[in-house]
Amino acid sequence: MRARFSMPDNAWAGSTCIYSWRYQNVGLLSLDGNDICYNSPSNLDYTEGKQLRWLEAQLARFRADPTIDFIVVYCHQCTYSTSDSNGAELGAQQKWAPLFDRYQVDLVLNGHNHVYERTDPIRGNKGTRTAPIRSTVNPVKDGTTYITAGGGGESVNKWTDRGIDDSYLGHVRDATATMRLDQQDGPTELIKVNWSRVRYRGYSLVSGEVTPAANGNPAQLRIRALTETGVLVDEITLRRS
């Protein structure tokens, strides 16, 4: 069966990846990471700041809407990652992450690196608390959760720390890892971080299940990562209160 989807009315002319839309109580924004990518700078700043201004306006609109509980942002390049293949994107940390903090973005989804990785909630470029598998995070006070969902397609990548182990349900390991950042017109920097809560080098997919607020209970967004055979790798619940 084939399904066809029309681009939202607010999509940029000629763009296939800059737009926003909503599904019930979730506001979603798609961004073009090439605009802020130091790792592959051929299209760096090609929108001349227009996407950044559009992003802030869309985030403000979503957060001001009382019928929207969760804001989810997605793009290709990883804001935070400890994979060595493409590393983390410093441009996203410098230009986008402050807006994610300001407007309390709940979840950021990325691909690019062919692994699954979930961070602890992050605010101000730092992990704010430990968020083990099957725990609940409050994005209002804890910050944004970042997930690399790159476990489908080509061969999986390695971690920047060659000796580091995967860490997932039934195989939990240390959250300390190394993030690789490509500086703009400068050297590559390796930074030790302690927010790499779940890491899985295998084929996987990510699912999300939203439960609206009801009977005095706040809305919640449950995220699960599953292997290609359906085995649970990770689970985290986002609940705003």
Side-chain angles (χ1 to χ4, degrees):
M1 183 180 70
R2 293 182 179 179
R4 294 180 179 234
F5 300 91
S6 298
M7 293 293 288
D9 293 338
N10 61 26
W12 288 28
S15 170
T16 60
C17 59
I18 304 176
Y19 56 89
S20 67
W21 56 292
R22 69 174 295 169
Y23 180 76
Q24 297 183 11
N25 62 337
V26 182
L28 301 105
L29 293 95
S30 174
L31 302 176
D32 187 354
N34 294 295
D35 192 31
I36 47 81
C37 184
Y38 299 161
N39 177 257
S40 302
S42 57
N43 291 308
L44 182 64
D45 198 31
Y46 81 92
T47 72
E48 298 178 333
K50 293 178 182 177
Q51 181 177 217
L52 186 64
R53 294 190 291 273
W54 176 87
L55 170 61
E56 180 162 20
Q58 295 299 308
L59 288 174
R61 181 172 64 87
F62 277 159
R63 193 47 76 205
D65 187 337
T67 66
I68 291 179
D69 292 305
F70 299 103
I71 298 178
V72 177
V73 174
Y74 55 97
C75 72
H76 189 64
Q77 287 84 349
C78 299
T79 309
Y80 296 98
S81 173
T82 65
S83 172
D84 184 51
S85 180
N86 296 290
E89 184 48 63
L90 181 59
Q93 293 181 18
Q94 293 175 336
K95 298 177 181 180
W96 290 352
L99 294 179
F100 300 160
D101 291 348
R102 185 182 310 166
Y103 293 100
Q104 299 176 1
V105 170
D106 301 279
L107 176 66
V108 175
L109 294 169
N110 300 116
H112 206 33
N113 293 318
H114 300 169
V115 294
Y116 174 83
E117 185 172 21
R118 173 175 63 81
T119 73
D120 287 331
I122 291 175
R123 180 171 287 151
N125 284 328
K126 296 180 180 179
T128 64
R129 52 154 289 190
T130 299
I133 297 167
R134 288 178 167 157
S135 63
T136 297
V137 169
N138 179 357
V140 176
K141 67 183 184 69
D142 296 333
T144 303
T145 297
Y146 293 81
I147 290 179
T148 300
E154 297 184 5
S155 58
V156 295
N157 297 151
K158 299 181 182 299
W159 306 114
T160 301
D161 283 330
R162 288 297 189 264
I164 203 169
D165 201 2
D166 287 10
S167 181
Y168 54 90
L169 185 64
H171 187 79
V172 174
R173 298 295 184 267
D174 192 356
T176 302
T178 299
M179 174 176 64
R180 197 197 89 204
L181 288 175
D182 292 330
Q183 305 287 325
Q184 185 178 11
D185 301 323
T188 296
E189 186 176 5
L190 300 179
I191 301 172
K192 285 289 186 183
V193 299
N194 60 3
W195 41 248
S196 181
R197 186 54 51 191
V198 181
R199 299 179 301 273
Y200 180 72
R201 292 183 63 251
Y203 296 109
S204 60
L205 61 85
V206 174
S207 70
E209 179 183 355
V210 179
T211 303
N215 301 320
N217 296 315
Q220 68 177 34
L221 171 58
R222 185 177 67 152
I223 304 297
R224 303 168 74 225
L226 306 167
T227 70
E228 57 186 326
T229 59
V231 177
L232 186 67
V233 170
D234 183 29
E235 181 179 311
I236 190 77
T237 298
L238 309 181
R239 184 180 298 149
R240 299 181 63 86
S241 59

